[in-house]
Amino acid sequence: MTYRPKFHLTPPQGRLNDPNGLTLIGDELHVFYQHDPAFPHGRRRTGWGHAVTRLGSGEFYHLPDALYPDFPYDADGCFSGSSVVHDGRMRLFYTGNLDADAEHEHRTSQNVVEVEDVQGPLGGTYLRRADNPIINGFPEGFTSDFRDPHVTQAADGSWRMLIGARSESNTGAVVVYTSDDLESWEYAGPIEFVGLDYNTASAHMWECPNLVSMTDQSTGEELDVLVFCPQFADADECGYVVGRLDGLRFEVITDFTPLDYGHQFYAPQLISFGPGALMLGWMGLPARDDTPTLAAEGWVHQLTLPRELSLIDATVHTTLRLPRNEDEMVVWRSELGAEPRSVELVDVDGYVGATVAWAPHPAGPTGAVRGTLSVTVDGFMRWADCAAGELVCTADGAALEVTGGGGEVAFSSAVFAPDANEWAGFQAGD
């Protein structure tokens, strides 16, 4: 018996958090991730772990860690970033972290790593550029909370680097740098939003920005989707806005909406995939590491399954990319409609790990059925409004993932059966 899931990426040991540098080469998906192998016994030395899977197989294979915090500009952590493959060259972009000490304040920088032979038996060689940091410090008006570079190519062929930031006025922002050649970068400024709600704008920090263009399946229009993680004094959130980015002006069509409504979801990474995007998220939250997996098996946290994201009526929909052999994990499907229902995830001894419930709303004038879908774990309920439609519930070790309304909403939650018992399946609830 083990808490470790079979198809959700977990660290061999220590602590995992944000997925980084997603790279798809053919059907081979390379997933880097924040990895602190000595956690919780040694000093934090976060680097980048590395694993690979083939889309459809579901199984990950670990490769040697790609980055260690060994250079003068990243000695206290190789923090999150992204990957670019262009003209046959692969580059990683990441934030170097230096903690405050008696002589210096906290410092961050943005750096580049040249990658060779990533598909080789060693999982690649990783050479930091000699002129790192390519961005040292932060622009006027911002603080050292300046991290998580996400690099994408604009329609005109130029490159944009988005960085999560905290301003001197204690509000979050996404800052843009531009480049024509991926070598030299110029500061453009923060994105200005038109139509963003006040609560999101008032968060003290925005982490892990991701920008992708997606084609709306309802209209055929190409729209910009910006995913980011606003941080508040008492909460860490993750969601997206949909709109049109023109230079530094983002006209919001769909206001900030959670990307996942579950108990543990944060810091996802997206890459373009067909008309939509491919995504993995961290099934954890900052500073919440107390799980039974750590004492029992020496690891903490996991990533979601790969998810395919599509845009329908300017709203992101989620499809879980389940493993080819679905019978090796618990998968349960049903159709939500006009009748309420409830199902429970139970282990082999009858312990209830989670309850998934559907409460339809009274029929509206159009006759379309909508309702509230909820997931309850350890007495804590998370819920979201969605349309009737397909419900997919999955359980794999300590990982529970649910989508409802044909993918209109998604939930990610960590679930722990007593003594790491196996899950027997989903059964009708009370």
Side-chain angles (χ1 to χ4, degrees):
M1 295 184 293
T2 178
Y3 292 111
R4 194 183 292 274
K6 184 170 184 180
F7 300 109
H8 291 71
L9 181 60
T10 58
Q13 65 182 36
R15 185 179 189 269
L16 165 152
N17 54 297
D18 311 2
N20 297 152
L22 293 191
T23 305
L24 185 62
I25 303 174
D27 67 347
E28 189 174 274
L29 179 65
H30 290 261
V31 180
F32 301 89
Y33 59 91
Q34 293 283 276
H35 186 209
D36 189 348
F39 182 87
H41 307 292
R43 185 177 72 88
R44 184 185 72 174
R45 298 192 72 246
T46 306
W48 281 30
H50 183 196
V52 64
T53 185
R54 291 196 177 276
L55 289 182
S57 75
E59 293 187 276
F60 281 94
Y61 297 91
H62 283 279
L63 295 163
D65 281 8
L67 298 180
Y68 299 87
D70 289 333
F71 279 64
Y73 46 80
D74 65 18
D76 295 312
C78 301
F79 283 4
S80 288
S82 59
S83 166
V84 170
V85 178
H86 181 66
D87 287 343
R89 292 173 62 188
M90 178 175 173
R91 300 172 177 88
L92 304 180
F93 295 81
Y94 76 97
T95 296
N97 182 67
L98 294 173
D99 292 336
D101 57 29
E103 298 180 1
H104 301 94
E105 296 181 344
H106 175 235
R107 290 156 289 162
T108 53
S109 62
Q110 316 310 317
N111 304 283
V112 182
V113 179
E114 300 282 351
V115 183
E116 297 179 0
D117 198 25
V118 72
Q119 294 181 282
L122 298 180
T125 57
Y126 299 84
L127 303 174
R128 288 167 172 82
R129 265 180 41 175
D131 60 347
N132 278 342
I134 57 166
I135 300 172
N136 196 7
F138 47 88
E140 184 178 355
F142 293 92
T143 72
S144 62
D145 288 329
F146 196 76
R147 55 183 177 266
D148 312 330
H150 188 259
V151 178
T152 56
Q153 192 167 27
D156 64 3
S158 64
W159 298 90
R160 295 179 294 208
M161 178 190 296
L162 272 62
I163 298 176
R166 180 176 187 168
S167 72
E168 290 180 345
S169 59
N170 206 37
T171 56
V174 174
V175 171
V176 179
Y177 285 75
T178 60
S179 174
D180 292 327
D181 57 8
L182 289 170
E183 299 292 331
S184 59
W185 294 86
E186 294 185 2
Y187 174 64
I191 294 178
E192 298 179 3
F193 293 85
V194 179
L196 183 66
D197 69 276
Y198 174 79
N199 183 64
T200 302
S202 66
H204 67 252
M205 172 70 187
W206 290 0
E207 288 195 300
C208 304
N210 285 245
L211 177 67
V212 292
S213 294
M214 298 174 66
T215 302
D216 194 307
Q217 296 185 10
S218 299
T219 65
E221 182 180 8
E222 187 169 293
L223 295 171
D224 295 307
V225 179
L226 178 65
V227 174
F228 58 99
C229 298
Q231 291 188 311
F232 301 87
D234 58 353
D236 299 290
E237 299 184 2
C238 178
Y240 66 91
V241 293
V242 179
R244 301 180 184 92
L245 178 62
D246 183 8
L248 294 175
R249 184 179 187 272
F250 196 107
E251 180 187 353
V252 176
I253 297 173
T254 300
D255 204 354
F256 186 81
T257 302
L259 191 56
D260 187 291
Y261 292 85
H263 300 78
Q264 287 88 20
F265 182 85
Y266 198 70
Q269 180 139 126
L270 287 70
I271 55 173
S272 293
F273 187 70
L278 194 65
M279 184 202 79
L280 280 88
W282 172 32
M283 291 183 67
L285 289 167
R288 295 164 177 85
D289 303 318
D290 185 17
T291 74
T293 63
L294 194 57
E297 300 175 6
W299 62 272
V300 62
H301 300 313
Q302 56 207 338
L303 299 185
T304 64
L305 293 171
R307 297 180 177 184
E308 196 167 339
L309 304 184
S310 57
L311 198 62
I312 303 174
D313 292 326
T315 302
V316 172
H317 284 60
T318 299
T319 301
L320 303 177
R321 291 191 64 96
L322 298 173
R324 186 175 294 115
N325 299 321
E326 286 187 21
D327 56 350
E328 296 185 34
M329 63 184 288
V330 178
V331 180
W332 186 85
R333 293 179 174 86
S334 183
E335 200 71 19
L336 300 175
E339 298 297 324
R341 69 180 312 167
S342 175
V343 295
E344 296 174 338
L345 174 64
V346 298
D347 74 359
V348 292
D349 290 334
Y351 169 81
V352 177
T355 301
V356 181
W358 166 249
H361 300 161
T366 65
V369 178
R370 296 189 67 83
T372 300
L373 185 64
S374 64
V375 176
T376 303
V377 177
D378 293 334
F380 294 96
M381 177 187 291
R382 302 299 298 268
W383 66 90
D385 180 83
C386 69
E390 187 180 33
L391 171 68
V392 180
C393 302
T394 71
D396 176 29
L400 169 71
E401 293 191 72
V402 174
T403 61
E408 183 180 346
V409 297
F411 297 80
S412 301
S413 299
V415 288
F416 305 102
D419 302 318
N421 278 348
E422 292 185 2
W423 299 113
F426 290 90
Q427 65 181 27
D430 296 333

